[in-house]
Amino acid sequence: MADLSSEPAPAHERHRVPRWAAIAAIYLVARLITTGFLLLAANLSTASSRFGADADLGSLLGGWDAAWYAYIAAVGYPTDLPLSADGFVETNQWAFMPVYPYLSAVVGAPFGSWLAGAVVVSLAAGYGACLVLFALLRDRIGDSPAMWAVVFFSVGPLAALFHVGYAESLFLLLLFLALWAVMRRRFAWVYPLIVVMGYTRPGVLAFALFLGLYGIHRWFTRRRDPLPVRDIVHIVALGALATIVGFSWQFIAAAVTGSPSAYLDTELAWRRGWIDTSEHFVPFSGFIEGAALWFRLWGLPEVAAYVVLGLVVAGIAAVLLFVPAVKALGPEIRLWSASYLVYLLAVFFPQSSVFRLLVPLSPLWGAAAVPRSVWWRGGVVAVCLLGQWWWIYNMYALASMYWQIP
């Protein structure tokens, strides 16, 4: 792989610890802390938890969606969709992409354990994501803030995802590489990344939207940032590829099962435990209906949900547009963040998994790292660690099937 740092270190800096080694040390310490949290969560697990009173570290690492990935590696995808007594499609493997489970099976084969392979893939991809995140940010905000962004990312509230059998770590590595390649105008790199990313975890359609917005941005800024025909061809072709890959899983599921709506019906099955769903997927309906549901459960007027949702969307847009620390990250990270948030609004039903689904916004850690106050940075680390324990405790110690789903 090409060196992801922008330039060789100046002569007076060459005596310092190599950046890859410094990031490795940060990542190792962060992983030891997270392992301690997971062990404590296993010890605190009770009979009312999904993991039971005799939980151990292995059961936590292989729990929740990791069990689905392990099942895919063992038996593949169903040709006949499972149906409930009332004829609705039930939850099944088609909601999960194939790259992570099968890669984990290959890596885990020498250990005789799919879970061992999954943990190795997650940990290694997490370290790789840290390296690329540093490269992604250093030219925009400088070495020191970029390194602090890596610290925040490594110890963040969702840092357990670097350990468990989930596809997030691998997706983040691929995503950061793709964003870095776009920033460097190395578009040839992005083609294979889009394909692998698209079959690792849902989200490549957000990247297609990002490429569209990026192309529009480049067009309107072409006087100060020339836009050669070659770049136009690449941006259009990459956007088309991301769109094709993003929708292809639906056609693959339809071809294998014989049901044109197999994938969307499978995704809707996860909502059915919360709300009555129609027979067809409607973009943005899940978030709107989910917000209303939560406000009703909290005893608040349903109409307030729509007001709050609108204010939150407007507030996030203002942050991406006007906050100096966010603007310093550059247009690519801001456009990706906006695209991914629009994608979530369009396809997601809000519940406790929303925290995990926000992880692809991790390049925004760079904005938190811009202030150079020691107290600020130390405070961010403290908040990250508190948030990490809160998330692990809820999702892996309490781990109720309804309220605490990672």
Side-chain angles (χ1 to χ4, degrees):
M1 180 182 294
D3 184 7
L4 293 178
S5 12
S6 59
E7 298 291 344
H12 68 278
E13 292 184 0
R14 289 175 189 165
H15 67 281
R16 295 183 180 179
V17 176
R19 295 183 182 92
W20 66 264
I23 291 172
I26 291 168
Y27 189 70
L28 176 60
V29 171
R31 300 289 60 79
L32 291 173
I33 292 171
T34 302
T35 300
F37 285 162
L38 288 167
L39 288 169
L40 181 56
N43 186 59
L44 293 175
S45 181
T46 66
S48 61
S49 162
R50 177 185 177 94
F51 298 100
D54 57 347
D56 57 19
L57 181 62
S59 63
L60 268 58
L61 298 180
W64 294 110
D65 286 358
W68 280 107
Y69 285 121
Y71 190 54
I72 291 168
V75 305
Y77 292 87
T79 55
D80 297 313
L81 294 172
L83 300 177
S84 63
D86 52 4
F88 288 109
V89 173
E90 294 186 318
T91 55
N92 64 83
Q93 300 97 292
W94 284 109
F96 304 92
M97 303 301 175
V99 168
Y100 180 77
Y102 290 130
L103 176 61
S104 298
V106 171
V107 174
F111 305 100
S113 166
W114 178 88
L115 181 58
V119 172
V120 168
V121 170
S122 291
L123 287 170
Y127 172 61
C130 288
L131 290 174
V132 184
L133 181 64
F134 176 79
L136 196 65
L137 295 173
R138 63 171 299 203
D139 287 346
R140 302 298 172 89
I141 60 176
D143 271 29
S144 178
M147 193 65 78
W148 274 101
V150 170
V151 173
F152 301 157
F153 177 59
S154 297
V155 301
L158 279 293
L161 293 174
F162 295 127
H163 296 247
V164 299
Y166 274 56
E168 265 70 13
S169 283
L170 183 58
F171 182 83
L172 289 175
L173 172 59
L174 297 166
L175 170 65
F176 293 174
L177 280 169
L179 289 172
W180 176 86
V182 170
M183 290 172 68
R184 294 299 186 86
R185 316 281 168 87
R186 299 184 183 183
F187 296 112
W189 287 41
V190 186
Y191 291 93
L193 289 169
I194 282 175
V195 175
V196 182
M197 186 164 51
Y199 297 114
T200 297
R201 177 188 178 277
V204 77
L205 286 175
F207 201 79
L209 176 58
F210 156 70
L211 288 166
L213 295 176
Y214 172 76
I216 293 171
H217 167 77
R218 289 287 306 278
W219 177 261
F220 282 105
T221 59
R222 68 190 185 279
R223 289 187 177 178
R224 65 175 184 271
D225 181 10
L227 179 61
V229 172
R230 179 189 61 191
D231 284 10
I232 295 174
V233 171
H234 276 306
I235 294 168
V236 172
L238 288 168
L241 177 63
T243 302
I244 292 168
V245 171
F247 284 109
S248 65
W249 192 242
Q250 298 181 37
F251 292 98
I252 293 170
V256 173
T257 63
S259 171
S261 59
Y263 174 70
L264 292 178
D265 289 344
T266 297
E267 290 289 359
L268 290 175
W270 261 270
R271 298 184 188 181
R272 201 160 287 120
W274 299 81
I275 60 173
D276 292 329
T277 59
S278 65
E279 295 183 4
H280 303 289
F281 168 77
V282 178
F284 298 100
S285 65
F287 225 101
I288 294 171
E289 293 175 10
L293 168 67
W294 284 107
F295 271 65
R296 289 196 299 270
L297 290 173
W298 295 332
L300 300 172
E302 184 175 317
V303 67
Y306 309 130
V307 175
V308 170
L309 184 59
L311 291 173
V312 169
V313 170
I316 292 172
V319 168
L320 294 176
L321 286 170
F322 303 119
V323 172
V326 178
K327 292 173 67 176
L329 303 179
E332 294 87 359
I333 289 175
R334 294 158 68 204
L335 290 173
W336 159 251
S337 301
S339 300
Y340 185 71
L341 288 168
V342 170
Y343 168 79
L344 282 188
L345 284 172
V347 305
F348 183 60
F349 175 84
Q351 29 88 358
S352 56
S353 294
V354 72
F355 300 107
R356 172 174 59 87
L357 294 182
L358 291 174
V359 168
L361 299 175
S362 292
L364 291 175
W365 280 121
V370 169
R372 294 180 179 269
S373 164
V374 173
W375 291 104
W376 167 263
R377 288 170 171 173
V380 173
V381 170
V383 170
C384 284
L385 291 172
L386 287 172
Q388 185 182 156
W389 168 243
W390 178 87
W391 192 79
I392 290 173
Y393 175 70
N394 275 276
M395 308 304 168
Y396 288 96
L398 300 182
S400 76
M401 290 294 295
Y402 194 77
W403 299 108
Q404 286 117 348
I405 304 170

